[in-house]
């Protein structure tokens, strides 16, 4: 029974959207800006929408050799996933009305997200998505998540330079924890002719690169905290999360379970947020 519940939460992407939402909350707490529940609802629902729309569309190109547990679950529950796509679209649309002042800023990332899942680049007689460009899949995800969880909550609250630095820091962190998922998906991506970083560089180099990105984000965070006189406890919390995140990344491999990736790799966003909030409240 517990396993069925966990599979439902993971494979329906209901859980996946939670860590992303945590980052929105983290951005407001670090910078001491007002927390916007409607924006949080928008981020959660739109994340759920993108993940499930991508999943339902991707099922059309699955090979029998790629029938992993999550793919089999998706095939068996395709109606549920399509229902979640519709519901999350409605919630995203309604919540967007209440954050109308920020909708204009969402257009660029909306177009980027659309290009990620919809083929629009014509090469010869075929159409390709942005994610089909070799080595760019993880970067697109990192930019999209960082923009929505860092830039959007802080627009109008901080000066552009400060927002820009925090955005780059967030991109490093998200890119680092996205690379292990490319390692997990190497078999499927290989069959799809999708050139991700692990396929291009290999697993070992990709994991080392991911850890380096984690510590790049810490280095940039140090500069931000010193320049803008942020509380040092924030940096201490991020350093603690960096050690945990690095260990989780290095431990990941192609055979790691779905639970490992969902609850540990994606959970690094939750871990970092909890550590920072705890540090700020001490």
């Amino acid at each position: 029974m517990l396993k069925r519940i966990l599979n439902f939460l993971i494979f329906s992407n209901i859980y996946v959207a939670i860590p992303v939402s945590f980052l929105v909350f983290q951005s407001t707490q670090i910078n001491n800006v007002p927390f916007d529940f409607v924006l949080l609802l928008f981020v959660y629902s739109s994340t759920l929408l993108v993940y499930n729309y991508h999943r339902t569309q991707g099922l059309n190109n699955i090979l029998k050799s790629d029938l992993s547990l999550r793919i089999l679950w998706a095939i068996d529950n395709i109606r549920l996933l399509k229902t979640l796509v519709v519901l999350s679209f409605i919630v995203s649309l309604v919540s967007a009305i209440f954050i109308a002042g920020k909708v204009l800023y969402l257009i660029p990332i909306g177009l980027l997200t659309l290009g990620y899942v919809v083929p629009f680049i014509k090469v010869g007689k075929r159409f390709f998505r942005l994610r089909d460009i070799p080595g760019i899949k993880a970067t697109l995800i990192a930019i999209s998540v960082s923009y929505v969880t860092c830039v959007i909550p802080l627009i109008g609250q901080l000066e552009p330079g400060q927002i820009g630095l925090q955005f780059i820091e967030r991109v490093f962190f998200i890119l680092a924890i996205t690379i292990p998922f490319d390692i997990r998906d190497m078999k499927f991506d290989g069959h799809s002719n999708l050139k991700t970083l692990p396929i291009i560089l290999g697993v070992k180099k990709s994991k080392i690169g991911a850890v380096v990105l984690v510590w790049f984000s810490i280095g940039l965070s140090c500069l931000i905290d010193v320049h803008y006189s942020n509380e040092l406890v924030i940096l201490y919390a991020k350093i603690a999360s960096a050690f945990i995140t690095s260990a989780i990344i290095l431990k990941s491999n192609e055979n790691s379970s779905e639970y490992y990736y969902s609850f540990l790799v994606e959970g690094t966003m939750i871990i970092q947020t909890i550590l920072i909030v705890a540090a700020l409240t001490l």
Side-chain angles (χ1 to χ4, degrees), residues 12 23 39-40 62 106 138 155 188 208 210 212 217 222 224 272:
S12 67
L23 290 181
L39 175 61
L40 186 71
I62 296 295
L106 288 166
I155 286 178
F188 171 74
I208 292 174
V212 170
S217 74
C222 183
I224 294 170
Q272 186 182 79

Side-chain angles (χ1 to χ4, degrees), residues 13-29 35-48 51 145 148-150 153 170 174 266 269-270 273:
N13 294 308
I14 287 175
Y15 166 79
V16 172
I18 293 176
V20 176
S21 302
F22 263 71
L23 290 181
V24 177
F25 181 67
Q26 180 189 136
S27 295
T28 62
Q29 297 306 295
F35 172 67
D36 189 338
F37 177 77
V38 177
L39 175 61
L40 186 71
L41 182 62
F42 172 81
V43 171
Y44 180 86
S45 59
S46 58
T47 302
L48 188 62
Y51 270 91
V145 172
V148 172
T149 63
C150 183
R170 181 68 53 82
I174 299 300
E266 283 178 335
M269 292 180 272
I270 296 177
T273 301

Side-chain angles (χ1 to χ4, degrees), residues 109-179:
I109 207 64
L111 294 175
L112 183 64
T113 302
L114 190 64
Y116 180 84
V117 297
V118 178
F120 75 100
I121 304 172
K122 187 176 183 181
V123 179
K125 296 182 179 180
R126 294 185 60 189
F127 284 88
F128 297 88
R129 302 159 296 180
L130 285 174
R131 73 191 300 267
D132 295 321
I133 300 175
I136 203 173
K137 176 186 170 185
T139 304
L140 289 174
I141 294 173
I143 291 173
S144 300
V145 172
S146 300
Y147 186 88
V148 172
T149 63
C150 183
V151 176
I152 295 301
L154 301 180
I155 286 178
Q157 303 290 339
L158 304 176
E159 60 180 76
Q162 189 173 359
I163 296 175
L165 287 173
Q166 291 190 39
F167 167 71
I168 296 172
E169 177 204 349
R170 181 68 53 82
V171 168
F172 283 153
F173 179 75
I174 299 300
L175 181 56
I177 63 173
T178 300
I179 289 174

Side-chain angles (χ1 to χ4, degrees), residues 209-255:
V211 171
V212 170
L213 286 170
V214 170
W215 290 98
F216 271 173
S217 74
I218 295 300
L220 187 53
S221 180
C222 183
L223 293 176
I224 294 170
D225 292 341
V226 170
H227 184 73
Y228 291 99
S229 300
N230 290 340
E231 296 185 49
L232 280 178
V233 292
I234 296 175
L235 179 60
Y236 298 153
K238 286 187 176 181
I239 291 174
S241 76
F243 278 109
I244 297 172
T245 301
S246 297
I248 291 173
I249 289 173
L250 292 174
K251 187 70 175 177
S252 64
N253 58 64
E254 294 175 75
N255 300 317

